[in-house]
Amino acid sequence: MDVRWSFLCNFVLFIICLFHDTATFKQEGVCFFPERWEGTWFQSGVRQPIIIEGPRLSSKGRCIASEGDKFLVVDEKSCYRCVVIHEKHENVLQYKETYCYGKESLLTLCSSITGDALLYSMFRENAAPISCPFRGPFTFTYNRGDGECRSPVSSIDTCTEDSRLLLSYQACPDIHSSESTVEELQCLAVWKEGSSRYLVGKVHHSHATSNEDRFRCFVYEKASVASEALDGIEFRVAQSGDATCNGLFSATEGSRTMTLKRASSLSKCRFPLWLANYNHWHTLDYSVTYSFHHRNSTLRITNSSGLEMKVVCAQTRHSTRDETSVMLLTHYTMGCQSGFTCMVFYRRDTNVMEVQAGAQTKRMEDACTTPYFNRATIPYITLVTATPESRECPYVGKFAVRSLIKGGRRTRSSTHNRQVEMYHFRQNYHVDRHSKTFYGEVDHIIRTKRVDRFSDCDNEGFSNLIVGCSSADIMEFRSECPTSDFITSYSCHGGWEENGTHYLIATPISRSPHGAHRYCFIYREYDPYLLLFSSSSDNCDRSLKPGVTGDLIFNATIIGKCVDINSMSARNQFHWTMNIIPLLNLIIAVVSSYIQR
């Protein structure tokens, strides 16, 4: 009987242990944190980044059970704890947790968390920024606990990106804790909790060296209509003193509080209609785009790397009667830097314009003065519409091309320029040293071409320039070499003349993948029969000298009109016909004689 009883007891114990182990296995399963939480997070006071990945919550361990926002986690030391996580924003998680306990169930552990337990905030590292809840410009006063800094007034400026604000703090002589500093705020998260609205951002300044210094939490509120009407107050903002949201309960309590008023906006003008009628303009090499928005008052300038400058028309300083030349005082914003610059827009043709932009300054009244803007020294930027119309090419006819130089480098000094000029002309022309020259040197250029020992007959060279013959808006570079069928065609888009130098904008009709988008042909009439040419693929550079410096350099001598070319073709056809007729008559006579036999 004892043996049976002992066996029965052991069997019952075995069944109990089996059920216990099974229950434990079920409880200690695997649960996963939401996939949208995965990534690297920062928490104030924690040295290493917190990583959420699958069932793992960094050093706290792995999740073995969950219910709603409650998670039971266990670490390698068999430390069990309940973690209650609230998602405030995709970039912000806040949680409370229990102390370390032995093995307990999820509900048992989580019930021990009290309402006054510490609240921890986690901010996502490398978070995608969001649009800030308020946009400048504002003026503001601030208080760091020992009085409000009212004069001089501080300011908030809007950056090019909606996710950034530039805060410029001024130091007040009567407030000890005030200081003159500039901070850039990048907005990362906003949410509402009760009647309070929260903002989390990164604050960048000269003393911020770690995430502990950069992450800050804010509470903000929109002022009442009555307060705004009475005092001009638009927002009240409180800022945390560290990288947490602890102790922030209202917009009037915090490590630093701010009162924001809307700054007086600049008076706006409009860009000329001929300019803004085309939404997009490009530099010749497409490296910079000018885009007009907001009823002709805003211009956005974007370069190939994506850097953008916002330009707002503030005042019209000067304009010709037909508005072909307009000087504007503009306000620019680039990144979080802003100020004023003077710009002059020139209408060169229907689809061609140029602009000169002066130096940037913080003072509005300085922008168009001589130290910051000088028309004689500021370079021109040549712009063409996205889809320019074709225009009639100048100098219609056929030209012989001489002295072709490709890939010429621009010179950097006037002395070197003169050396290059005279070397070029001595290589290609006979020189009379007792007459004055076209460029003011002692030598005189005579149009007697030397025999070049290098042949121009190659697959990349050309010997003729034909303008407006096949079509009024087309100019063609052709080769007369026996083994070459080289023809490069350009479509003309318009041009202009300055002090005897002509500028022509043209687009290659068939372009290689690495070829230039558009060209500026710069030419000067040396005499009625000779044109000196240079070209540039990025700008109509005033420092280039036709026939001397540029990407492509050549001289063109007129040798005929389009009608001469067409009549020559007709004469060739006539001669061919006259030669073939006798041959045909001979063939017919031979065939007839054979038939009669």
Side-chain angles (χ1 to χ4, degrees):
M1 189 72 175
D2 292 339
V3 174
R4 291 179 180 178
W5 179 252
S6 175
F7 174 78
L8 182 61
C9 288
N10 290 334
F11 180 76
V12 170
L13 288 173
F14 172 75
I15 296 298
I16 291 171
C17 291
L18 181 64
F19 273 105
H20 180 268
D21 291 343
T22 305
T24 303
F25 175 79
K26 287 182 179 178
Q27 181 178 338
E28 294 189 4
V30 177
C31 65
F32 293 86
F33 293 102
E35 190 174 342
R36 63 182 180 277
W37 293 359
E38 290 193 352
T40 305
W41 299 79
F42 166 80
Q43 180 182 320
S44 179
V46 179
R47 286 189 176 183
Q48 297 297 324
I50 296 172
I51 299 173
I52 299 178
E53 184 179 17
R56 189 166 68 97
L57 178 58
S58 205
S59 60
K60 297 187 187 299
R62 60 182 177 86
C63 179
I64 58 174
S66 66
E67 183 177 315
D69 56 4
K70 301 178 180 67
F71 299 88
L72 179 62
V73 296
V74 59
D75 64 15
E76 295 176 350
K77 298 179 181 179
S78 296
C79 171
Y80 289 78
R81 72 181 79 212
C82 171
V83 183
V84 182
I85 304 177
H86 301 286
E87 180 181 336
K88 299 301 181 181
H89 185 272
E90 63 181 19
N91 294 330
V92 176
L93 299 177
Q94 291 184 333
Y95 71 92
K96 294 182 177 183
E97 64 179 353
T98 63
Y99 293 109
C100 181
Y101 288 97
K103 188 181 295 183
E104 293 287 351
S105 68
L106 172 70
L107 296 178
T108 301
L109 279 179
C110 293
S111 63
S112 66
I113 297 178
T114 60
D116 60 351
L118 284 175
L119 180 68
Y120 299 98
S121 297
M122 295 194 301
F123 307 133
R124 187 187 295 274
E125 294 188 354
N126 302 317
I130 64 165
S131 295
C132 294
F134 36 83
R135 300 280 294 161
F138 292 103
T139 60
F140 70 94
T141 59
Y142 67 96
N143 190 330
R144 300 188 67 175
D146 56 354
E148 191 166 23
C149 179
R150 295 176 175 273
S151 180
V153 70
S154 301
S155 63
I156 296 178
D157 289 314
T158 301
C159 301
T160 307
E161 301 170 6
D162 293 341
S163 59
R164 295 175 181 269
L165 294 170
L166 191 69
L167 290 79
S168 301
Y169 293 90
Q170 300 296 328
C172 295
D174 56 334
I175 305 298
H176 176 70
S177 62
S178 67
E179 62 175 335
S180 179
T181 184
V182 176
E183 296 181 359
E184 182 184 314
L185 171 63
Q186 183 183 42
C187 301
L188 301 177
V190 291
W191 73 93
K192 185 178 180 182
E193 197 167 309
S195 60
S196 299
R197 295 182 181 274
Y198 287 83
L199 162 68
V200 167
K202 271 187 174 182
V203 178
H204 301 275
H205 53 83
S206 58
H207 302 298
T209 58
S210 67
N211 282 335
E212 286 282 1
D213 302 324
R214 297 187 188 101
F215 278 110
R216 288 294 180 268
C217 195
F218 301 82
V219 177
Y220 67 95
E221 67 176 13
K222 185 86 165 64
S224 64
V225 176
S227 177
E228 186 175 352
L230 182 64
D231 303 319
I233 298 172
E234 191 160 336
F235 285 97
R236 290 184 174 86
V237 183
Q239 178 182 328
S240 65
D242 55 19
T244 71
C245 292
N246 297 337
L248 285 181
F249 303 109
S250 74
T252 56
E253 300 175 87
S255 173
R256 177 163 55 193
T257 59
M258 293 171 274
T259 303
L260 278 59
K261 296 182 180 182
R262 180 66 60 180
S264 56
S265 58
L266 289 169
S267 57
K268 291 185 179 180
C269 59
R270 295 184 185 277
F271 291 100
L273 280 175
W274 62 264
L275 187 62
N277 278 344
Y278 297 95
N279 290 336
H280 302 288
W281 297 76
H282 302 276
T283 53
L284 299 185
D285 58 2
Y286 272 63
S287 62
V288 181
T289 300
Y290 284 57
S291 303
F292 292 89
H293 305 274
H294 303 302
R295 298 179 181 178
N296 304 350
S297 64
T298 303
L299 164 65
R300 291 187 181 272
I301 305 174
T302 311
N303 67 10
S304 55
S305 63
L307 185 64
E308 182 179 86
M309 177 190 289
K310 179 183 175 184
V311 180
V312 177
C313 183
Q315 289 180 11
T316 301
R317 287 298 180 93
H318 179 265
S319 175
T320 57
R321 184 171 296 180
D322 57 0
E323 287 195 334
T324 54
S325 171
V326 181
M327 176 184 281
L328 302 175
L329 172 67
T330 63
H331 180 268
Y332 75 91
T333 305
M334 184 169 59
C336 287
Q337 302 301 316
S338 62
F340 297 90
T341 185
C342 195
M343 303 180 77
V344 179
F345 295 88
Y346 303 90
R347 187 181 190 183
R348 300 306 191 191
D349 213 309
T350 306
N351 301 115
V352 182
M353 76 151 171
E354 289 194 302
V355 60
Q356 287 181 298
Q360 298 166 350
T361 175
K362 287 289 186 182
R363 287 168 51 87
M364 178 176 174
E365 55 271 25
D366 292 341
C368 291
T369 60
T370 302
Y372 295 92
F373 187 85
N374 186 344
R375 290 197 193 200
T377 58
I378 295 175
Y380 291 86
I381 301 169
T382 309
L383 301 170
V384 183
T385 57
T387 54
E389 301 172 1
S390 296
R391 304 296 293 270
E392 184 176 334
C393 299
Y395 288 97
V396 174
K398 184 175 181 181
F399 297 82
V401 173
R402 300 288 184 269
S403 309
L404 174 64
I405 299 175
K406 287 192 172 187
R409 299 287 181 181
R410 297 179 189 175
T411 54
R412 301 192 178 185
S413 69
S414 58
T415 303
H416 189 52
N417 269 343
R418 288 193 293 271
Q419 292 172 352
V420 171
E421 289 168 23
M422 297 318 300
Y423 172 80
H424 168 71
F425 286 120
R426 284 174 186 145
Q427 289 291 316
N428 293 286
Y429 297 93
H430 294 305
V431 174
D432 176 3
R433 297 183 177 273
H434 301 288
S435 305
K436 70 175 186 178
T437 130
F438 180 70
Y439 285 101
E441 295 292 335
V442 185
D443 302 305
H444 175 59
I445 305 163
I446 300 177
R447 292 187 299 106
T448 307
K449 181 74 171 61
R450 282 184 177 172
V451 178
D452 192 351
R453 66 182 183 273
F454 298 103
S455 172
D456 286 336
C457 279
D458 56 48
N459 292 329
E460 297 181 354
F462 52 85
S463 52
N464 290 327
L465 170 61
I466 299 173
V467 182
C469 294
S470 60
S471 177
D473 60 340
I474 300 295
M475 63 178 187
E476 300 173 325
F477 290 93
R478 296 182 179 181
S479 174
E480 288 186 346
C481 298
T483 59
S484 175
D485 57 354
F486 178 89
I487 298 178
T488 300
S489 300
Y490 293 83
S491 176
C492 299
H493 301 303
W496 68 98
E497 180 269 334
E498 284 180 21
N499 302 320
T501 300
H502 298 260
Y503 300 87
L504 172 66
I505 305 300
T507 300
I509 294 177
S510 57
R511 184 176 68 90
S512 67
H514 303 290
H517 288 84
R518 306 196 199 286
Y519 283 94
C520 178
F521 286 94
I522 306 169
Y523 58 97
R524 192 178 184 95
E525 195 175 290
Y526 179 61
D527 64 27
Y529 302 99
L530 177 64
L531 296 176
L532 308 180
F533 267 91
S534 292
S535 73
S536 173
S537 59
D538 55 7
N539 225 4
C540 289
D541 192 340
R542 300 316 194 267
S543 67
L544 293 184
K545 293 187 176 181
V548 178
T549 54
D551 296 336
L552 184 68
I553 307 165
F554 62 93
N555 302 322
T557 305
I558 189 165
I559 59 174
K561 299 180 180 179
C562 289
V563 65
D564 298 333
I565 299 168
N566 295 332
S567 62
M568 186 182 299
S569 176
R571 284 197 300 271
N572 291 338
Q573 185 176 359
F574 173 76
H575 289 309
W576 182 85
T577 305
M578 295 304 293
N579 290 330
I580 201 66
I581 288 175
L583 179 60
L584 290 174
N585 289 336
L586 179 60
I587 293 172
I588 292 170
V590 172
V591 172
S592 299
S593 174
Y594 178 79
I595 292 173
Q596 289 174 3
R597 290 180 185 179

